[in-house]
Amino acid sequence: MTTDEPALRLHGVSRTFGQTAALSDVSLEVPHGTVCGLLGRNGAGKTTLMSLAAGHDRPTGGRVEVFGRDPFTHAPTTSAVSLVRDDQRYPDDFRLRHLLAVAPRFHARWDRERAAELVDAFRLPARTDVKKYSRGQLSALGIVLGLCSRAPLTVFDEPYLGLDASARRTFYAQLVADLAEHPRTVLVSTHLVDEMEALLDHVVVLEGGRVVRDCSLDEARSAAYTVSGPAVVVDGLTAGLPVLTSRRLGGLRSTTVEAPLTPEAAAAARAVGAQVEQASLQDVVAAHGADRDDDDTAHRTAHPTLETAGARA
Ligand SMILES: Nc1ncnc2c1ncn2[C@@H]1O[C@H](COP(=O)(O)OP(=O)(O)OP(=O)(O)O)[C@@H](O)[C@H]1O
């Protein structure tokens, strides 16, 4: 295994299930030693991509490489990846001690001491069969297994399901501390974009099985801005710009455009009484796969910028 190769490279990858194209012609590289957020709406293809990265599945077309090798056929590469699935199953009669005993057989770099610390931090019950764990306890268990595997590529598929806010903070803090001590590559899918944004170095956004963004966090953050105000004013300010989403409430409109927010654009908007702000990463992700122009009142409360505009009007 060499660190000259990207941790993960997909080249023209497709994965179809019958008539469904879960991934279509996906090419991307996850740089070595980064935390990469895999983002996108439900059904965008995140879990499919993660299964391919872990060598649990094969692409229908194209090539998947982990550290330059095929994770499906090259056994040492398969064992260099740890995939923590949100629906991970364990043997019926397993308790925590059984899992902690077998884990080192699958992960050469397994860290026993860290595992003991994390079990305490997440208060995982020792005397309960794992199959009876709550949703949050199962997620915490997956986090322990993923972090302590020290796998060169660790993949977390929505690792926070059922975790309370305090346990999620524990996860984020442990991830940051562990990566500082033992740098490696992490690929994590999440819908909690606002909450996890600070952990990410790199961002990949999928929409309908295709990559619509593959860039650093900073690039993703500065990719779009939102203008809100009287519809006629907003339409004038955004004419000719690539619109990600646009929502209308009565005479007000809120439009997110895919362009950097320059001082000139901000000044022009304010001069005519419109509000303008950098779109959040969450706004950018939500815009992909959403209707481009939505005047349906049923959606009004789904857009925080519009609520803001309405409240200020
Ligand atoms: N085994 C399968 N058989 C048939 N269709 C599948 C299978 N696995 C995934 N799909 C389909 O492929 C598409 C992508 O699914 P995937 O689970 O990768 O999305 P996702 O981005 O992880 O979604 P979510 O955020 O809801 O978890 C969906 O349309 C899904 O229904």
Side-chain angles (χ1 to χ4, degrees):
M1 187 173 312
T2 158
T3 54
D4 297 340
E5 297 283 352
L8 175 65
R9 179 191 284 137
L10 271 66
H11 186 77
V13 165
S14 303
R15 178 63 170 106
T16 52
F17 298 99
Q19 300 296 309
T20 306
L23 295 174
S24 305
D25 194 23
V26 168
S27 294
L28 59 86
E29 288 187 3
V30 176
H32 196 268
T34 57
V35 179
C36 175
L38 187 56
L39 314 175
R41 293 163 66 103
N42 292 130
K46 302 179 295 297
T47 300
T48 304
L49 193 155
M50 292 180 144
S51 296
L52 294 173
H56 290 193
D57 187 19
R58 278 194 119 148
T60 322
R63 214 169 55 242
V64 177
E65 289 173 8
V66 170
F67 304 109
R69 305 297 296 260
D70 180 350
F72 192 82
T73 56
H74 188 246
T77 299
T78 316
S79 60
V81 188
S82 170
L83 170 62
V84 178
R85 302 181 65 106
D86 60 350
D87 58 353
Q88 186 70 49
R89 297 235 175 89
Y90 303 100
D92 268 359
D93 53 350
F94 260 38
R95 292 193 173 175
L96 190 56
R97 67 172 185 281
H98 301 117
L99 279 171
L100 298 180
V102 297
R105 285 191 228 155
F106 294 94
H107 300 293
R109 297 174 180 78
W110 180 259
D111 186 329
R112 283 174 198 275
E113 279 177 29
R114 189 70 165 178
E117 285 167 23
L118 286 177
V119 161
D120 277 352
F122 285 114
R123 302 182 189 175
L124 285 177
R127 293 194 181 81
T128 307
D129 289 346
V130 168
K131 73 172 180 192
K132 293 189 181 144
Y133 272 19
S134 69
R135 178 59 262 183
Q137 287 169 335
L138 281 173
S139 290
L141 175 60
I143 288 166
V144 174
L145 296 176
L147 280 183
C148 298
S149 73
R150 293 267 157 77
L153 175 59
T154 305
V155 183
F156 290 107
D157 191 359
E158 295 188 58
Y160 48 75
L161 296 180
L163 286 184
D164 61 45
S166 157
R168 294 203 303 276
R169 275 198 297 275
T170 299
F171 168 46
Y172 306 149
Q174 294 289 346
L175 179 67
V176 169
D178 207 54
L179 290 177
E181 269 181 54
H182 305 276
R184 55 202 192 274
T185 308
V186 170
L187 178 64
V188 56
S189 71
T190 179
H191 292 289
L192 299 182
V193 180
D194 284 339
E195 199 173 291
M196 295 187 69
E197 185 177 332
L199 300 171
L200 309 178
D201 304 302
H202 197 85
V203 170
V204 170
V205 183
L206 292 176
E207 177 183 350
R210 293 182 184 274
V211 175
V212 290
R213 211 168 283 275
D214 176 9
C215 59
S216 71
L217 176 66
D218 288 344
E219 284 173 77
R221 274 179 172 156
S222 56
Y225 66 92
T226 302
V227 189
S228 310
V232 64
V233 170
V234 171
D235 289 347
L237 289 165
T238 57
L241 294 172
V243 171
L244 281 174
T245 52
S246 189
R247 302 270 155 83
R248 186 170 177 147
L249 175 62
L252 294 173
R253 185 177 276 289
S254 174
T255 297
T256 299
V257 292
E258 188 168 9
L261 178 55
T262 60
E264 293 76 23
R270 290 187 185 116
V272 288
Q275 285 139 22
V276 61
E277 59 191 355
Q278 192 79 60
S280 68
L281 182 58
Q282 173 73 74
D283 289 337
V284 174
V285 174
H288 288 294
D291 295 334
R292 290 288 180 268
D293 195 336
D294 183 359
D295 286 353
D296 182 349
T297 51
H299 291 96
R300 284 176 185 174
T301 55
H303 200 272
T305 312
L306 183 58
E307 287 169 357
T308 312
R312 287 176 193 161

